[in-house]
Amino acid sequence: MTLTAEITGWGKCMPPNVLSNHDLEQIVDTSDEWITTRTGIKERRISHVEASELAAVACHRALAAAGKTPEDVDLLLVATCSGDSIIPSTASVVQKHLQAWNAAAMDLNAACSGFVYGLEVGTNMIKSGAYKTVLVVGTEKLHHLIDFTDRTTCVLFGDGAGAVVLEPTEGPAGVLASDLGMDGSVGHILEVPVDGTAGDRGPIDPRLSGISMEGQEVFRRAVTKMGESSALALEKAGLSLEDVDLLIPHQANIRIIDATARRLGVDESKVYVNIHSYGNTSAATIPVALTEALEEGRIQPGDIVVFTAFGGGLTWASSVVRWGDRVTPLGESDVELPPPDRDTMELLQPNFDFFGRPEKQA
Ligand code: ACO
């Protein structure tokens, strides 16, 4: 038996304000039919709070599910590419919300692959013997980066958070193997062009501060890399595709998910999909999907669960987990978000003011 990490708690926090495809029809030249057939997305959430608050609620829920308290946490890893601030890190703010004063805490930016990167970092910190209770949370307030004058990106993304608790185990359950990668030579095909120290300081076109993407190129690379990376992680775990009970892919586009599953030869009944409800929440999609898969009874004790993701960087990451004995939470948290004081369209007004008014709002 070798020391590894087991997922003992899970939780999500989805902000209540909904932006449906029909709402988007009132903003840009698009249609429910186009968005549904090209992406699988029907609606997404728009957050009235920062990514740190979404993360804190998801963490409270994951801790309750594991029967742990914030004081038990000795490491907090916050995967995000739309966090509250660079200094202090979003992890610093999450620690404050949680009052997890015993936790070392840091941000981790691998875009949509961030949660799986975090799972691998957290697992190895546990394997080192130095940490015993690790929180890994993927959290995003992506709508902040969305230019609603660009119909090719504004329909894709949403906000939300999902978290897991990792604890040491000597098996047979736990994180068995992972595969992480990056191709920085093509980082520019999915970017926020003016951001960080590399951007100009003078007056800039606000539109360069939003997500810009070569959609078809990202699509093609996502299918290839998620397939290759899942197969590699399974091989490292000494398992084969026939052993997979549930594949939980990053939720970016239903056609990417279907093509990846086809490429791997995994039947669609073994693929978890919730993209219709939330769109692409980047680092949050996998822990949110994991939480919902458990809530829906899609994971049984001993199941082999594979996570696979692809995103900005360009990054990719896969992880193979043998699930433990417990598929239900030990407890529930009563921590909630504050109620929103504005409706969805009001929450989008700052985007319209900054990036420019979308054609149907002009
Ligand atoms: N509504 C209506 N029409 C649209 C829209 C829209 N929202 N967006 C684009 N179109 C039009 C285009 O203008 C084009 O029209 P034209 O033929 O007259 O020029 C037509 O639809 C087809 O456009 P394509 O770009 O070829 O559409 P495609 O089928 O490739 O779908 C999409 C676009 C959905 C963006 C797809 O390429 C995709 O999902 N790519 C991957 C995106 C992704 O996963 N990104 C996130 C990565 S994760 C991260 O790290 C943040």
Side-chain angles (χ1 to χ4, degrees):
M1 296 282 181
T2 49
L3 183 67
T4 186
E6 179 176 354
I7 297 174
T8 58
W10 50 89
K12 67 174 191 207
C13 176
M14 303 311 291
N17 283 88
V18 172
L19 179 67
S20 69
N21 291 350
H22 294 296
D23 295 331
L24 280 163
E25 286 174 347
Q26 309 307 312
I27 300 175
V28 283
D29 184 15
T30 192
S31 65
D32 173 50
E33 198 267 335
W34 192 95
I35 303 171
T36 306
T37 53
R38 295 295 179 114
T39 73
I41 302 167
K42 295 300 273 186
E43 57 186 43
R44 64 292 287 144
R45 301 295 174 92
I46 301 295
S47 182
H48 61 297
V49 296
E50 301 306 324
S52 61
E53 280 187 77
L54 298 174
V57 174
C59 287
H60 274 298
R61 292 173 180 166
L63 286 167
K68 295 281 177 186
T69 66
E71 298 85 66
D72 295 322
V73 180
D74 48 18
L75 180 63
L76 166 64
L77 299 170
V78 178
T80 186
C81 60
S82 55
D84 304 22
S85 58
I86 302 291
I87 302 175
S89 64
T90 304
S92 161
V93 190
V94 177
Q95 189 219 35
K96 185 175 69 176
H97 286 314
L98 289 172
Q99 301 190 25
W101 305 123
N102 300 318
M106 63 177 168
D107 288 0
L108 192 158
N109 179 0
C112 301
S113 307
F115 173 77
V116 183
Y117 262 69
L119 194 64
E120 175 69 343
V121 173
T123 297
N124 282 286
M125 293 298 237
I126 282 178
K127 280 182 173 175
S128 77
Y131 295 90
K132 302 262 180 289
T133 307
V134 177
L135 262 174
V136 184
V137 56
T139 188
E140 303 286 4
K141 187 183 176 181
L142 278 175
H143 91 258
H144 185 78
L145 298 173
I146 300 306
D147 172 359
F148 284 88
T149 68
D150 178 3
R151 70 174 180 173
T152 66
T153 54
C154 74
V155 301
L156 301 176
F157 299 100
D159 304 334
V164 299
V165 176
L166 299 178
E167 292 184 69
T169 177
E170 295 209 334
V175 180
L176 303 180
S178 298
D179 172 65
L180 310 182
M182 165 77 89
D183 183 357
S185 72
V186 281
H188 60 278
I189 72 171
L190 172 49
E191 64 174 348
V192 177
V194 176
D195 192 19
T197 59
D200 286 341
R201 279 203 151 137
I204 53 144
D205 178 350
R207 290 182 191 184
L208 297 177
S209 304
I211 293 179
S212 106
M213 185 175 65
E214 291 177 31
Q216 287 183 358
E217 194 56 28
V218 174
F219 189 114
R220 195 179 61 74
R221 289 170 187 267
V223 174
T224 309
K225 279 300 175 190
M226 292 208 295
E228 283 175 8
S229 173
S230 306
L232 208 55
L234 278 163
E235 193 185 315
K236 286 185 195 171
L239 297 170
S240 68
L241 286 159
E242 292 75 57
D243 297 313
V244 177
D245 295 296
L246 191 66
L247 177 68
I248 302 184
H250 171 49
Q251 312 280 308
N253 184 319
I254 189 66
R255 292 184 297 138
I256 294 177
I257 294 171
D258 288 347
T260 303
R262 262 199 313 276
R263 199 181 162 93
L264 286 168
V266 173
D267 189 79
E268 65 175 31
S269 63
K270 294 184 172 183
V271 182
Y272 192 81
V273 176
N274 65 358
I275 190 171
H276 44 279
S277 305
Y278 307 128
N280 180 351
T281 58
S282 191
T285 67
I286 289 179
V288 169
L290 170 65
T291 300
E292 296 197 342
L294 284 155
E295 288 167 354
E296 292 164 19
R298 294 281 301 271
I299 297 177
Q300 300 305 316
D303 273 1
I304 297 295
V305 181
V306 175
F307 306 125
T308 187
F310 186 86
L314 298 174
T315 52
W316 56 90
S318 302
S319 204
V320 180
V321 173
R322 187 188 303 278
W323 204 261
D325 291 334
R326 190 164 53 77
V327 290
T328 52
L330 285 176
E332 284 181 15
S333 167
D334 56 8
V335 176
E336 298 283 348
L337 291 177
D341 58 356
R342 283 162 293 164
D343 67 23
T344 304
M345 282 300 172
E346 287 168 336
L347 288 171
L348 296 181
Q349 282 305 319
N351 290 58
F352 301 164
D353 294 342
F354 180 73
F355 289 108
R357 305 199 78 72
E359 49 201 297
K360 293 191 175 171
Q361 295 284 306

